[in-house]
Amino acid sequence: ASVDPSAGGSNQKSSKDGAEMASNMKDVQYTEEGLQIPVGNGGSTPRYKWTQTLDEVTVLVGIPKTLRGKDFDVSLAPSTLSIKAKKPLPGEDQPRTFVEGELVEKIRADESTWSVEGGVMILTLDKRQKKFWPTVIAGDEKIDTEMVDSRRHISDYDESTQAQIRKIIFDQNQYHKGLPSSDEILGKKSNIPDLPPGVEYIDKKKTGCRG
């Protein structure tokens, strides 16, 4: 999906700018509760579009194609994000602020990056906690996080999570066969913690999925 370069804040806007801002939201669909239905596990705002995995958030901000990376002041802090032009754009009195605000969750700022490609600024925010975000900037429209696709290949997880998932799979297979679980076999109570937020094991035998 395209991102509109005029969707950032500014002091002077034409009617054309307003129409382009609205187009960022034209394909957005909502649940009955008023939450956005996720696209790429993310959503849209008039200023940017975003997607996410458990590990990172990708933010796409439309910018004028004449601007390069050197034309921006970008601040990536653990709890805040700021994208500003260094100089006023043509027809504007003050440097434009494209995105600015408090992040809904903390990031590893030193592991997060940004780049400019063909009229779009691409930011990759490294999540401090592996969980799905409802939005990027506090106060922006939220997605329904219960509708995100949390399935991914077991090898994509760290060793601890892989062990938890394999234990769940083993116990599910034992249950379907009428056999004791791993804890019952070992004769002890499990000390394996719950899966991280946003990670779930989907029992294919119950759902009818094929993989």
Side-chain angles (χ1 to χ4, degrees), residues 29 48 73 85 107 118 124 196:
Q29 297 183 5
Y48 60 86
D73 281 324
I107 62 171
T124 302

Side-chain angles (χ1 to χ4, degrees), residues 77 99 197:
V99 177

Side-chain angles (χ1 to χ4, degrees), residues 11-192:
N11 297 326
Q12 298 180 6
K13 292 285 186 187
S14 67
S15 59
K16 179 181 178 181
D17 287 339
E20 289 175 341
M21 284 181 66
S23 72
N24 251 13
M25 307 293 291
K26 67 179 181 180
D27 295 324
V28 174
Q29 297 183 5
Y30 294 88
T31 65
E32 293 182 356
E33 291 75 23
L35 299 173
Q36 289 188 18
I37 296 175
V39 176
N41 289 343
S44 299
T45 77
R47 297 172 294 163
Y48 60 86
K49 293 177 179 286
W50 64 283
T51 62
Q52 66 176 324
T53 65
L54 270 177
D55 301 303
E56 61 187 29
V57 174
T58 300
V59 182
L60 307 174
V61 183
I63 59 174
K65 292 184 178 180
T66 55
L67 297 184
R68 300 292 180 262
K70 62 182 177 62
D71 299 317
F72 291 94
D73 281 324
V74 179
S75 173
L76 296 176
S79 300
T80 59
L81 168 64
S82 175
I83 304 171
K84 299 180 180 180
K86 291 182 178 179
K87 298 179 180 180
L89 300 180
E92 299 182 4
D93 296 329
Q94 300 294 327
R96 183 185 296 191
T97 298
F98 289 85
V99 177
E100 186 175 48
E102 182 177 351
L103 297 168
V104 294
E105 297 286 346
K106 289 188 176 181
I107 62 171
R108 294 184 176 90
D110 56 346
E111 298 293 329
S112 300
T113 62
W114 64 275
S115 62
V116 172
E117 299 179 19
V120 178
M121 180 177 290
I122 304 171
L123 301 99
T124 302
L125 309 180
D126 190 73
K127 295 179 179 179
R128 181 167 292 184
Q129 293 185 343
K130 292 185 177 182
K131 60 188 294 186
F132 284 110
W133 293 11
T135 189
V136 178
I137 302 294
D140 285 346
E141 286 193 9
K142 296 180 179 181
I143 63 167
D144 187 343
T145 54
E146 294 184 359
M147 299 179 70
V148 301
D149 182 4
S150 59
R151 293 168 294 178
R152 62 180 186 179
H153 195 273
I154 187 172
S155 63
D156 292 338
Y157 295 105
D158 58 40
E159 291 183 1
S160 175
T161 302
Q162 287 187 42
Q164 295 170 44
I165 294 175
R166 288 194 174 99
K167 179 181 183 299
I168 292 171
I169 294 173
F170 176 83
D171 288 344
Q172 286 286 351
N173 289 334
Q174 290 291 95
Y175 172 80
H176 287 302
K177 295 175 182 177
L179 300 174
S181 69
S182 57
D183 292 331
E184 292 170 337
I185 293 173
L186 295 173
K188 64 181 182 180
K189 186 176 181 180
S190 173
N191 60 357
I192 297 179

